[in-house]
Amino acid sequence: MTIAVYPGSFDPIHYGHIDIAKRAAKIFDTLIWAAYDRPLKNLMFTTDERLELMRQAAQDMPNIRVMPYHGLTVEFARSLGATVMVRGIRVTYDFEIEYQTALTNRQLADDIDTVCLMTSLKYAFLSSSTLKEVAFLGGPIGEMVPPFVQAAVRKRMAQLGEDRDDKVKLVSLRE
Ligand code: ADP
């Protein structure tokens, strides 16, 4: 029985993440879809909020378990008996990052391998940063996320108010 971990920030999840999670869940016996609880990033959602959205997205996939984690991803994977880490690749830039991360993780844990799934073409340019920026600027995100994520993003933006740019830093599409 092969257990795989799909780790990330997922702030918030979008259709690209969901696509990778569902495809990975067809390949492996159990998929642990894991949200890193303290990434070095300015987050829009708390860990519990990110997990709740992931749970809703995975509810029709019984072999997906949604969990938080902190610390080294390989240690978390090992603690669950996982032997595979799943990552998604969109553009060549992702490959560089994932390649470096996979080699580092193998150095740390040579009993765990990284498996990268290529994005589906329609999600190739979709990222959490992109969807947050479009939403911040008042654009439509219905093609990027399921309705329950869209509702959570809108609610969060209303809570943040007008000066939200200072509260959640974005990697701007304009930069
Ligand atoms: P991280 O901060 O770990 O990169 P993300 O939540 O941004 O966390 O992404 C988690 C994983 O999902 C990464 O492997 C990333 O490359 C992948 N991913 C992100 N967006 C997409 C997408 N549109 N299609 C496929 N994979 C994606």
Side-chain angles (χ1 to χ4, degrees), residues 24-143:
K26 287 186 192 147
I27 300 171
F28 303 106
D29 298 298
T30 299
L31 183 76
I32 312 290
W33 195 4
Y36 184 42
D37 73 359
R38 261 176 260 138
L40 302 173
K41 288 180 177 178
N42 207 308
L43 297 176
M44 184 176 203
F45 293 100
T46 65
T47 304
D48 283 346
E49 289 166 340
R50 286 180 283 140
L51 291 169
E52 179 51 33
L53 297 175
M54 290 157 68
R55 275 191 200 104
Q56 286 191 57
Q59 62 187 358
D60 59 340
M61 301 291 289
N63 66 330
I64 297 183
R65 272 174 65 199
V66 170
M67 292 177 74
Y69 79 99
H70 60 271
L72 280 178
T73 312
V74 286
E75 292 298 340
F76 170 69
R78 217 181 239 153
S79 73
L80 297 165
T83 50
V84 175
M85 291 216 291
V86 172
R87 298 286 288 173
I89 292 193
R90 287 159 292 192
V91 286
T92 50
Y93 168 78
D94 274 354
F95 175 76
E96 308 267 326
I97 305 276
E98 297 302 341
Y99 184 69
Q100 198 178 351
T101 308
L103 290 186
T104 305
N105 282 332
R106 254 188 89 69
Q107 193 95 0
L108 295 168
D110 65 4
D111 49 333
I112 299 173
D113 256 310
T114 299
V115 171
C116 290
L117 299 183
M118 302 309 133
T119 185
S120 297
L121 198 54
K122 57 189 170 184
Y123 307 132
F125 296 99
L126 180 51
S127 70
S128 297
S129 300
T130 305
L131 84 87
K132 282 185 282 190
E133 175 145 15
V134 171
F136 270 45
L137 298 173
I141 56 168
E143 303 265 298

Side-chain angles (χ1 to χ4, degrees), residues 142-166:
E143 303 265 298
M144 304 177 190
V145 297
F148 56 89
V149 177
Q150 189 172 355
V153 170
R154 300 269 177 242
K155 187 175 164 196
R156 186 82 187 109
M157 286 199 310
Q159 287 166 346
L160 290 172
E162 286 303 310
D163 53 345
R164 57 192 177 229
D165 270 359
D166 299 331

